[in-house]
C-alpha cells in the first residue's frame, strides 16, 4: 500500500500529541515533518511539547518551529484546557531532541515545491504557517494535494457560540487557506464532539501497555479533567486525531461538500466557518465538511495506532 505523505502542522496540545502519535508510526502514513505553531500555548511551549512527544515515542521525524503569533489579530491561547505548559500532565525526561534550524514556513515551501504534488497538509492548530507559506510562495498552492484540517464547526463553536478555537485564533490564516482553491476536508467540532474519551476508553487504551499508551493515559488524565471543568463533558473530545484517523481509514467519517466561508468581518460571529449545508447560496462547494463519525471505528483506529508502538 502506498503511504499518504503528510506534513502535520500542529500546536501541541493534548489532542495534537495523540495526532502525532497516530501519524508518526502508521503503516498508512508517511509523516515527512512536524511543523509547530502558536495556538494552544505560546510557540516556546508548543515546540517544546512537540519535541517531548517525538522523543518519548522514539520516532525520527523532524520538527520545525513556525509562527509565534497570528497573521494579523492578537494571539490567544487555550491554557484553560491544555494548562500552563500546553501539555500539562505527562512528565517527560530531559529533552535531548532538537528543532530543525529551518523555519517551518520555509520548510513547507521548500518541501512542497520539490514535491510531485502528492503531499497532504494536515493542520490541527491555527492555520498561520500554511497561510504564510501560501502568501510567501504562491507556487506552492497548486502543489498541495489537499488540506485536511481540524477546525471550525457548522453548528456551535467552542470559543464563542459561532467560532471554534483553531479558526478564531487566526481567522485570516483560515481565510487564506479556504480561498486557496485546493481541496479541503474540514473536520470540525460537529464530529469531534462525538468522540468523547470516556474513562472506559482511557482504560482500554491503557491496557495496550506500551509507551504510546502510557502517554495517551497521562495526556487524557489532564485533558478530560479540564474538558469536564470547562464544558461539562464526561470525556474529552479527541479533536485532532480525527484528521489522522480519516487519512488512515476515510470511511470513519462522512463528509458533505459545502460552500464554506470564514467570517473575518463581523464582531459576534468572527471566526465562524459559514458552511452552506442546505446550498442556499447556490455557490460551488469549497470544502468537504465532516458531518458524522463512526465512533467505534475511530476508537479501533486509535487503539491500533497505539499498538503500532509494539
Ligand atoms: C482545537 O483547539 C485546540 O484546543 C485543540 O488542540 C484542537 O485543535 C479544538 O477546538
Ligand atoms: Ca490542536
Amino acid at each position: 500500500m502506498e503511504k499518504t505523505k503528510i506534513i502535520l502542522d500542529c500546536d501541541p496540545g493534548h489532542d495534537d500529541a495523540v495526532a502525532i502519535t497516530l501519524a508518526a508510526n502508521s503503516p498508512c502514513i508517511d509523516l515527512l515533518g512536524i511543523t509547530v505553531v502558536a495556538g494552544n500555548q505560546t510557540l516556546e511551549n508548543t515546540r517544546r511539547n512537540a519535541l517531548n512527544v517525538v522523543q518519548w515515542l522514539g520516532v525520527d521525524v523532524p520538527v520545525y518551529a513556525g509562527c509565534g503569533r497570528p497573521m494579523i489579530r492578537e494571539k490567544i491561547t487555550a491554557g484553560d484546557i491544555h494548562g500552563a505548559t500546553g501539555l500539562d500532565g505527562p512528565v517527560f525526561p530531559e529533552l535531548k531532541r532538537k528543532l530543525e534550524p529551518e523555519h517551518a514556513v520555509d520548510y513547507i515551501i521548500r518541501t512542497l515545491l520539490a514535491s510531485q504534488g502528492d503531499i497532504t497538509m494536515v493542520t490541527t492548530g491555527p492555520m498561520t504557517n500554511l497561510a504564510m507559506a501560501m502568501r510567501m510562495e504562491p507556487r506552492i498552492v497548486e502543489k498541495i494535494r489537499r488540506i485536511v484540517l481540524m477546525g471550525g464547526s457548522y453548528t456551535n463553536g467552542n470559543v464563542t457560540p459561532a467560532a471554534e478555537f483553531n479558526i478564531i485564533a487566526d481567522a485570516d490564516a483560515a481565510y487564506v487557506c479556504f480561498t486557496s482553491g485546493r481541496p479541503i476536508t474540514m473536520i470540525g467540532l460537529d464530529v469531534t464532539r462525538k468522540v468523547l474519551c470516556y474513562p472506559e476508553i482511557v482504560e482500554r487504551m491503557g491496557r495496550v501497555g506500551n509507551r504510546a499508551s502510557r502517554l495517551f493515559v497521562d495526556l487524557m488524565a489532564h485533558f478530560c479533567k479540564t474538558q469536564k471543568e470547562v464544558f461539562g463533558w464526561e470525556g474529552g473530545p479527541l479533536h485532532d486525531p480525527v484528521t489522522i484517523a480519516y487519512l488512515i481509514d476515510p470511511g470513519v467519517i462522512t463528509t458533505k461538500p459545502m460552500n464554506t466561508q470564514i467570517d473575518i468581518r463581523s464582531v459576534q460571529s468572527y471566526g465562524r466557518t459559514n458552511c452552506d449545508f442546505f446550498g442556499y447560496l447556490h455557490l460551488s462547494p469549497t470544502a468537504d465538511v465532516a458531518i458524522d463519525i463512526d465512533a467505534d471505528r475511530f476508537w479501533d483506529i486509535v487503539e491500533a495506532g497505539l499498538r503500532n508502538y509494539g
Side-chain angles (χ1 to χ4, degrees):
M1 187 209 324
E2 207 184 320
K3 291 185 170 190
T4 302
K5 289 183 190 171
I6 72 166
I7 293 173
L8 176 56
D9 189 66
C10 57
D11 63 337
H14 294 71
D15 49 338
D16 301 81
V18 178
I20 293 172
T21 305
L22 298 189
N25 208 4
S26 164
C28 309
I29 290 177
D30 184 3
L31 177 58
L32 302 175
I34 295 171
T35 54
V36 182
V37 69
N40 284 322
Q41 261 300 345
T42 61
L43 183 65
E44 291 69 29
N45 280 312
T46 56
R47 67 190 187 191
R48 183 204 54 239
N49 295 342
L51 289 170
N52 270 324
V53 170
V54 295
Q55 176 176 286
W56 175 264
L57 295 172
V59 291
D60 191 20
V61 182
V63 179
Y64 300 82
C67 298
R69 51 182 298 188
M71 294 179 92
I72 297 172
R73 65 156 297 159
E74 290 306 314
K75 183 168 66 187
I76 58 168
T77 57
D80 54 341
I81 297 292
H82 300 274
T85 65
L87 209 57
D88 279 14
V91 178
F92 294 104
E94 186 193 345
L95 183 57
K96 302 231 166 70
R97 281 287 304 262
K98 298 260 183 278
L99 288 166
E100 301 300 314
E102 192 176 18
H103 192 282
V105 173
D106 292 327
Y107 164 73
I108 291 169
I109 292 172
R110 176 174 62 81
T111 308
L112 287 172
L113 281 183
S115 77
Q116 304 301 311
D118 55 351
I119 298 174
T120 297
M121 291 298 308
V122 180
T123 66
T124 61
M127 302 180 88
T128 320
N129 287 338
L130 181 55
M132 288 293 280
M134 287 182 184
R135 286 300 193 244
M136 274 178 68
E137 180 45 274
R139 287 181 301 158
I140 67 166
V141 172
E142 62 183 23
K143 290 281 199 168
I144 298 169
R145 181 176 173 198
R146 61 178 168 146
I147 300 167
V148 176
L149 73 130
M150 189 283 134
S153 165
Y154 65 88
T155 54
N156 298 297
N158 60 356
V159 177
T160 69
E164 180 277 333
F165 179 80
N166 288 340
I167 305 295
I168 200 172
D170 196 347
D172 301 288
Y175 179 91
V176 170
C177 294
F178 274 77
T179 53
S180 68
R182 298 312 298 155
I184 294 180
T185 304
M186 181 188 118
I187 297 176
L189 299 172
D190 319 290
V191 297
T192 65
R193 280 178 172 155
K194 293 181 181 172
V195 283
L196 299 179
C197 195
Y198 292 119
E200 53 270 29
I201 303 278
V202 180
E203 277 166 35
R204 170 181 167 185
M205 301 307 163
R207 283 197 293 276
V208 172
N210 59 21
R211 56 182 28 230
S213 115
R214 281 196 290 284
L215 176 62
F216 184 93
V217 170
D218 289 350
L219 289 167
M220 289 305 112
H222 178 88
F223 187 64
C224 295
K225 182 161 94 40
T226 56
Q227 289 284 346
K228 186 165 185 189
E229 286 162 6
V230 176
F231 295 105
W233 316 116
E234 278 307 319
L238 210 53
H239 309 287
D240 295 338
V242 179
T243 57
I244 305 300
Y246 168 67
L247 291 171
I248 291 170
D249 176 4
V252 73
I253 64 171
T254 308
T255 60
K256 179 175 163 68
M258 301 185 207
N259 181 269
T260 302
Q261 299 184 31
I262 310 299
D263 188 342
I264 53 170
R265 305 240 181 273
S266 82
V267 176
Q268 279 191 345
S269 303
Y270 176 80
R272 178 168 176 79
T273 46
N274 275 315
C275 302
D276 191 5
F277 190 99
F278 293 106
Y280 301 126
L281 302 176
H282 303 290
L283 295 172
S284 304
T286 51
D288 290 322
V289 178
I291 57 169
D292 205 1
I293 184 163
D294 182 336
D296 290 342
R297 200 156 154 179
F298 173 75
W299 294 119
D300 287 347
I301 295 167
V302 173
E303 182 179 343
L306 299 181
R307 290 194 185 281
N308 285 335
Y309 287 84

